[in-house]
Amino acid sequence: MGLVYMINVHGVNMTYVNTICENSGMSQHAPDTKKDRLKLARERSFPSARQAALRHGWGPSTYAAHENGQNDFGEAHAREYARAFKVSAAWLLGLDAEMQAYDVAVEDAAPQPQPNASYPVPVEFPRRKLPVYGHAAGGLERDGKFILNGTKVADVLCPPQLESVRDAYAVYMHGDSMLPAFRPGDTIYIDPSRPVTAGDEVLVQIKGEEGKPPFGFVKEFMRQTAKELVLLQHNPPEGQERIITFPADRVMTVHKVVGRLRG
């Protein structure tokens, strides 16, 4: 209905008409904020915020704080409210100017994953090479014994962890006494500067018998005393024990294994 007022401006009578729209009781101003839009959407189905919250299993205080503007709400809540009130989440978030009806195909679509990759980082390959020492002896046994007298038999690329280790070197694995940890033909990387503790794989250099060159083994370190060196082999040859010992006066070096490359 309309209310008519008669006013006088500078001696001229003017008629002023104020029109009042009758509706369901919802606010007449255009909803410019997220809270206003949320309230407008809720009023279409529920007379109070508490009723809406209880009907849909939301915390009444949480929902009320969103509707009255005390707390902001994001996309996740907007999608939930949109589904309940049958409007679009984009409109609730202020992304659409006009109220849009709820569209299942749009609103329930799984969010697209955010990119988490970057351009490839340039890889610097090692330039340094390590010497490979040792070679198989005639009549090689399965225990992995090989001649280790300082003769270089090859060069291999240095792994990154040994780039700055001056005396690092490598050997080739002989025999199958350390299966499954090491297989015949594996390249074994050695860092002589690292301390050795029980359970470490090690390369040991042992003095040969009179007139014979030193030889090497790759085994698991157990302990070393003033009397002897005690080692463990995982897959001993037939007739040998898993634990082997060498007299201390025959042990030349015990160096830690820090890596391997499958042969």
Side-chain angles (χ1 to χ4, degrees), residues 25 44 63 70 74 94 102 104-105 112 128 150 153 198 211 241:
R44 295 172 47 176
Y63 176 78
Q70 179 181 346
Y102 182 84
V104 174
Q112 294 298 312
R128 180 185 173 190
V153 296
E241 300 293 332

Side-chain angles (χ1 to χ4, degrees), residues 194-245:
R194 297 277 296 275
V196 173
T197 59
D200 289 341
E201 276 86 22
V202 294
L203 170 70
V204 298
Q205 187 180 25
I206 305 296
K207 292 180 182 178
E209 300 292 343
E210 186 175 350
K212 294 184 179 181
F215 58 90
F217 285 105
V218 175
K219 304 294 181 186
E220 181 180 321
F221 180 84
M222 295 186 69
R223 63 182 180 274
Q224 185 174 20
T225 67
K227 180 182 178 182
E228 62 184 4
L229 172 66
V230 183
L231 305 171
L232 176 69
Q233 48 187 354
H234 298 171
N235 183 41
E238 186 177 354
Q240 286 192 17
E241 300 293 332
R242 293 190 70 204
I243 296 176
I244 57 177
T245 61

Side-chain angles (χ1 to χ4, degrees), residues 136-217:
L140 180 67
E141 299 180 6
R142 286 184 55 236
D143 61 4
K145 181 191 298 184
F146 61 95
I147 296 174
L148 188 60
N149 59 1
T151 301
K152 185 174 76 170
V153 296
D155 288 304
V156 293
L157 289 176
C158 178
Q161 70 266 32
L162 294 177
E163 280 280 359
S164 60
V165 180
R166 186 182 62 179
D167 296 323
Y169 63 97
V171 297
Y172 292 133
M173 184 67 193
H174 297 278
D176 56 10
S177 66
M178 288 297 287
L179 287 174
F182 302 111
R183 302 187 305 203
D186 287 354
T187 302
I188 311 297
Y189 298 105
I190 311 298
D191 183 350
S193 67
R194 297 277 296 275
V196 173
T197 59
D200 289 341
E201 276 86 22
V202 294
L203 170 70
V204 298
Q205 187 180 25
I206 305 296
K207 292 180 182 178
E209 300 292 343
E210 186 175 350
K212 294 184 179 181
F215 58 90
F217 285 105

Side-chain angles (χ1 to χ4, degrees), residues 86-152:
K86 304 304 179 186
V87 296
S88 72
W91 178 78
L92 284 178
L93 292 169
L95 303 178
D96 286 341
E98 300 294 331
M99 179 187 291
Q100 304 293 328
Y102 182 84
D103 187 335
V104 174
V106 173
E107 303 296 342
D108 289 354
Q112 294 298 312
Q114 295 297 314
N116 61 358
S118 61
Y119 289 105
V121 177
V123 177
E124 293 188 5
F125 292 93
R127 298 180 181 179
R128 180 185 173 190
K129 291 188 175 182
L130 295 182
V132 180
Y133 296 124
H135 58 88
L140 180 67
E141 299 180 6
R142 286 184 55 236
D143 61 4
K145 181 191 298 184
F146 61 95
I147 296 174
L148 188 60
N149 59 1
T151 301
K152 185 174 76 170

Side-chain angles (χ1 to χ4, degrees), residues 241-254:
E241 300 293 332
R242 293 190 70 204
I243 296 176
I244 57 177
T245 61
F246 294 99
D249 60 358
R250 291 189 60 198
V251 178
M252 299 174 64
T253 58
V254 180

